[in-house]
Amino acid sequence: MPSEIAVEKKKLKNPPLELHYLGDRVLRQAAKRISKVDDELRQLIREMLQTMYSKDGIGLAAPQVAIHKQLIVIDCEPDNAANQPLVLINPTIKQVSKEVCVAQEGCLSIPNVYIDVKRPEAVEIAYKDEYGRPRTLKANDLLSRCIQHEMDHLNGVVFVDRVENSLTLAQELSKNGFSYQAVKPVA
């Protein structure tokens, strides 16, 4: 269900929120469930969207801007003004497909690093929208991957933790000024 929160899809010279990068401890802390959906939270959603658009992202989780709340904004079509973003509050995965696919991922918290990651092809989630209404969503393709990627952030997991080719990963991170020591592989 697309969001009703309107934010102009443009780059701001000074986005309202500061991104944190691989190696920063805030990215490794689990986010807390949101108990109250109010105007203050909707303002945070606007600021997250503005920050995401300013950084050319298609998804942003609150922990990436040092806010430890289970909140995600997604827009897989940032260049399409008619496409409304998706706001996920307290998302939970209800089901994942048996089919997996490998595709390249990147992350605003690890700029210029793009590496293949294996994930379930489709996902079904339950969440609350920006007005606290319960919703469910079935997603596949890019949206499914983006949801799974951003939900990982809520659990202190970064996409590089899921990369299977450690040699390529170490080279890409090093080339872009990140330490391989910051990676915490998930089983």
Side-chain angles (χ1 to χ4, degrees), residues 36-53:
K36 191 166 84 176
V37 179
D38 56 12
D39 287 340
E40 190 178 322
L41 185 70
R42 284 185 281 278
Q43 181 55 34
L44 172 60
I45 291 166
R46 278 184 206 90
E47 291 175 358
M48 283 178 61
L49 285 165
Q50 290 168 328
T51 301
M52 178 184 78
Y53 292 131

Side-chain angles (χ1 to χ4, degrees), residues 3-181:
S3 167
E4 297 169 25
I5 291 186
V7 169
E8 200 176 340
K9 297 184 182 191
K10 67 176 185 181
K11 285 187 183 197
L12 302 175
K13 200 179 277 180
N14 297 306
L17 302 170
E18 184 183 335
L19 275 172
H20 290 259
Y21 299 98
L22 183 66
D24 192 321
R25 285 190 331 217
V26 300
L27 293 177
R28 296 303 184 173
Q29 295 170 3
K32 294 182 174 35
R33 290 184 63 75
I34 293 170
S35 55
K36 191 166 84 176
V37 179
D38 56 12
D39 287 340
E40 190 178 322
L41 185 70
R42 284 185 281 278
Q43 181 55 34
L44 172 60
I45 291 166
R46 278 184 206 90
E47 291 175 358
M48 283 178 61
L49 285 165
Q50 290 168 328
T51 301
M52 178 184 78
Y53 292 131
S54 296
K55 300 292 185 179
D56 293 323
I58 61 169
L60 183 66
Q64 291 178 271
V65 290
I67 294 167
H68 296 288
K69 293 182 177 180
Q70 290 186 11
L71 175 61
I72 294 169
V73 295
I74 292 175
D75 187 347
C76 290
E77 296 181 46
D79 297 329
N80 176 353
N83 186 60
Q84 292 302 304
L86 185 61
V87 173
L88 306 177
I89 297 169
N90 299 335
T92 55
I93 292 179
K94 294 172 61 92
Q95 203 171 348
V96 295
S97 64
K98 288 184 179 73
E99 300 77 34
V100 295
C101 62
V102 175
Q104 204 173 66
E105 289 187 26
C107 181
L108 292 177
S109 292
I110 316 171
N112 305 313
V113 173
Y114 301 95
I115 305 178
D116 284 347
V117 177
K118 186 191 306 181
R119 291 193 188 269
E121 204 170 280
V123 67
E124 183 180 351
I125 61 166
Y127 65 98
K128 288 187 174 168
D129 68 12
E130 66 272 22
Y131 293 101
R133 297 175 293 211
R135 304 276 189 195
T136 58
L137 173 70
K138 289 181 179 176
N140 55 17
D141 302 324
L142 180 59
L143 181 58
S144 169
R145 181 165 294 276
C146 193
I147 287 168
Q148 293 175 70
H149 174 112
E150 299 306 334
M151 284 184 70
D152 272 352
H153 279 298
L154 301 182
N155 296 309
V157 175
V158 186
F159 91 95
V160 292
D161 300 339
R162 296 193 179 278
V163 172
E164 293 175 1
N165 185 334
S166 55
L167 183 61
T168 300
L169 176 59
Q171 290 170 338
E172 281 300 303
L173 289 173
S174 174
K175 189 169 77 182
N176 290 284
F178 294 101
S179 169
Y180 183 73
Q181 307 303 294

